[in-house]
Amino acid sequence: MAATADDLRARALRLLARREYSRQELATKLLSKPAPRPARRYPGNTRDVFETVLEEVYEPPTESDVQALLDDLERRKMLSDDRYAEMRIRLRAPRYGNTRLQQELAQKGIDRDTIAAVLSEQPDEFSRCRELWLKKFGQAPRDMNERMKQTRHLASRGFAMRTIQQVIRSAGNADELTDTP
């Protein structure tokens, strides 16, 4: 039994009703596994039911069917890479740096121009890095081991090394200014 266009559309709309998807992500999801079918109840012998279900082999949708559906969804403004990128950045920007955000969106199939446009609308990386640093550490590192720990943490979040160094230096300068009478 092949998937009909209506089955494929219904599955895509159910997925889009939950959250935004990029075009590549939705295509992968639609092609990856068959759409779930509701369980059927047959009266009578259960052996007949088993044989009937075995005869119905589900064929996944073709690439051309999925691409045609995605084109239609984009035309109707139900699917948008721009909207997906904005949503993803808005949710993750307070915790992650530009490098990581760019990498995640590129993996989801978002083009570089869209990524650059969406990132330019966000607060600068320095202020986001500083907020995260204040929340996690709150004080300047006392020794080299603590400085390396703070640097590794911020680098793992995708902040640029230059930004990390500026944040840690500004924290050290602020502590020196408050310590002097």
Side-chain angles (χ1 to χ4, degrees), residues 37 47 96 107 155 157-158 170 181:
R37 289 180 295 170
R47 173 169 268 176
Y96 297 103
Q107 286 176 351
R157 295 296 182 112
S170 68

Side-chain angles (χ1 to χ4, degrees), residues 4-17 30 35 69:
T4 66
D6 290 339
D7 293 338
L8 194 59
R9 177 177 294 282
R11 183 161 181 234
L13 290 176
R14 274 195 312 272
L15 290 169
L16 287 170
L30 291 173
L69 172 66

Side-chain angles (χ1 to χ4, degrees), residues 59-117:
E59 296 174 16
T62 63
E63 180 78 29
S64 60
D65 291 342
V66 170
Q67 292 304 323
L69 172 66
L70 295 177
D71 290 338
D72 183 51
L73 291 174
E74 280 184 341
R75 218 175 14 262
R76 294 173 185 246
K77 307 239 186 276
M78 295 176 161
L79 178 67
S80 169
D81 281 349
D82 295 339
R83 199 169 52 227
Y84 172 78
E86 289 171 7
M87 181 268 312
R88 187 83 175 175
I89 294 285
R90 191 176 346 105
L91 290 175
R92 297 180 68 79
R95 295 184 309 269
Y96 297 103
N98 289 349
T99 305
R100 180 154 175 181
L101 295 171
Q102 288 170 347
Q103 182 182 23
E104 287 178 357
L105 289 176
Q107 286 176 351
K108 301 291 183 182
I110 308 298
D111 63 292
R112 290 182 184 198
D113 296 334
T114 304
I115 295 171

